[in-house]
Amino acid sequence: MNTGIKRYCKTLSLKDDPKLIEDYKKVHAPGAAWPEITQGMKDVGIIDMEIYIYGTRLFMIMDTFADFNHDKAMAELATKPRQSEWEAYVSRFQQSSAEATADEKWQLMERIYKLD
C-alpha cells in the first residue's frame, strides 16, 4: 500500500433480523447513501471507504491521508450537515442507540498481522 495512506479498520454489529439486514444493504447500495454524508466524509479527509458484511457483523475499511487525525476528524464529522440525522436513521439497523455518533458505533480494530 502507498505509504502516503493511513488505513483504519472498524467493526459494528447489526440487529439479528434478516429483513433489517437486507434494508441496511439497500441503504448502502451505490447511490443510496445521502450525498451530504459522503461529502462530509470526504471533507474530513476520508479518501476511500468500504463496508463488508458477514451475518450481523460489519467490517469497514477506511483509507485516509497519512496526516489524518482520527479523533479530530470524527469530532468534525459529527457536526457535518445531516450527520446526526443519518446516524439516527441507520441506528434502527444497528446494535446502538439513535443518539450515538458514528465514532461511538464503529469500533476501531487492532491489526495483529501484516504480510511482509
Side-chain angles (χ1 to χ4, degrees), residues 14-22 56:
L14 295 176
K15 293 177 180 171
D16 192 4
D17 179 324
K19 171 75 170 102
L20 286 178
I21 291 170
E22 283 308 309
T56 60

Side-chain angles (χ1 to χ4, degrees), residues 54-71:
Y54 180 77
T56 60
R57 176 62 62 187
L58 297 177
F59 175 69
M60 175 194 291
I61 300 171
M62 185 175 85
D63 291 334
T64 68
F65 292 109
D67 61 352
F68 185 81
N69 179 318
H70 182 271
D71 294 340

